[in-house]
């Protein structure tokens, strides 16, 4: 492969396509329908997940964004043995989140579980999850990414969950609008995902959705409605 070339400011480098020849050959050996499935035929025909990408999940408050994401996480563990780093203040305290994940994984009501079954569930979740303590102060994008890389030293991390976005401590420069600052943060997350081959799931609340006067149904929020 060709060496990289740095510009005069020593901060930016260029590459040539031939340096990526092996990756290009591998790209054409993969199925055109790439990405991993969660094992549900109808869903898999619409959406698959892959490392190196940022996925944004939104929806009306209290309508099940976190439950939906937990379901996807458990399916990815069962079908592909993925490992996760999770920052999820929406699912606190941790014993509440444990119950949700254990019930989805085992397919049973954990309130009737024996102590041995609970211990088995703790072991299963320990095998696939590292949790970032949401009670810590000043948790920002940097600390979340650093915690993910620290977990990566012990085992391969396939995905990072941030649920929700608005629980991250943000310090916006005075000369940046909120929209500009959010754009900068999202670019950092996308770069982090690509650089370390990590699939990121980001839960974001929409702006307040108003019901049309002539309807009883609140509109489904789109990516344009995310706050």
């Amino acid at each position: 492969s060709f060496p990289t070339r740095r510009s005069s400011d020593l901060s930016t480098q260029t590459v040539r396509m031939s340096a990526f020849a092996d990756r290009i050959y591998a790209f054409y050996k993969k199925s055109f329908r790439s990405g991993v499935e969660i094992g549900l035929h109808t869903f898999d025909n619409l959406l698959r997940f892959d490392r190196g990408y940022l996925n944004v999940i939104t929806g009306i408050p209290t309508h099940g964004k976190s439950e939906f994401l937990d379901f996807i996480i458990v399916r990815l563990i069962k079908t592909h043995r993925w490992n996760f780093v999770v920052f999820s203040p929406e699912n606190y305290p941790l014993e509440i989140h444990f119950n949700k994940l254990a019930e989805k994984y085992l397919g049973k009501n954990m309130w009737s579980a024996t102590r041995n079954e609970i211990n088995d569930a703790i072991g299963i979740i320990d095998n696939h999850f590292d949790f970032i303590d949401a009670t810590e102060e000043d948790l920002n994008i940097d600390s979340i990414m650093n915690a993910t890389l620290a977990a990566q030293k012990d085992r391969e991390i396939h995905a990072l969950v941030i649920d929700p976005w608005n629980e991250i401590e943000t310090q916006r420069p005075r000369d940046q609008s909120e929209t500009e600052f959010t754009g900068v943060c999202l670019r950092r997350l996308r770069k982090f995902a690509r650089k370390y081959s990590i699939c990121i799931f980001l839960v974001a609340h929409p702006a307040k959705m108003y019901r049309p006067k002539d309807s009883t149904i609140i509109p489904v929020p789109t990516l344009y409605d995310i706050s």
Side-chain angles (χ1 to χ4, degrees), residues 81-99:
R81 315 305 295 173
W82 274 25
N83 299 323
F84 291 81
V85 170
V86 176
F87 171 67
S88 184
E90 289 284 281
N91 287 295
Y92 241 72
L94 275 176
E95 54 267 30
I96 299 291
H97 204 183
F98 166 80
N99 182 68

Side-chain angles (χ1 to χ4, degrees), residues 67-131:
E67 290 288 346
F68 172 68
L69 180 53
D70 281 350
F71 171 77
I72 289 175
I73 288 171
V74 169
R75 297 296 303 188
L76 288 171
I77 290 172
K78 283 190 167 185
T79 56
H80 302 285
R81 315 305 295 173
W82 274 25
N83 299 323
F84 291 81
V85 170
V86 176
F87 171 67
S88 184
E90 289 284 281
N91 287 295
Y92 241 72
L94 275 176
E95 54 267 30
I96 299 291
H97 204 183
F98 166 80
N99 182 68
K100 291 181 178 181
L101 293 170
E103 289 191 339
K104 289 178 178 63
Y105 191 94
L106 298 175
K108 67 173 296 180
N109 186 332
M110 291 300 294
W111 289 99
S112 61
T114 66
R115 190 179 186 90
N116 286 338
E117 288 174 325
I118 293 173
N119 286 336
D120 289 343
I122 290 173
I124 290 169
I125 291 174
D126 265 358
N127 285 337
H128 295 283
F129 289 95
D130 284 274
F131 295 92

Side-chain angles (χ1 to χ4, degrees), residues 164-178:
W165 162 258
N166 63 294
E167 289 284 346
I168 296 178
E169 180 68 29
T170 55
Q171 295 181 342
R172 175 166 55 92
R174 293 182 179 179
D175 59 345
Q176 277 187 338
S177 69
E178 184 176 0

Side-chain angles (χ1 to χ4, degrees), residues 16-40:
R16 290 183 177 173
M17 198 61 76
S18 53
F20 297 89
D22 289 343
R23 286 168 55 178
I24 291 171
Y25 300 145
F27 175 80
Y28 287 106
K29 290 180 180 178
K30 292 198 307 183
S31 167
F32 179 71
R33 293 166 60 84
S34 62
V36 298
E37 304 173 347
I38 65 170
L40 299 178

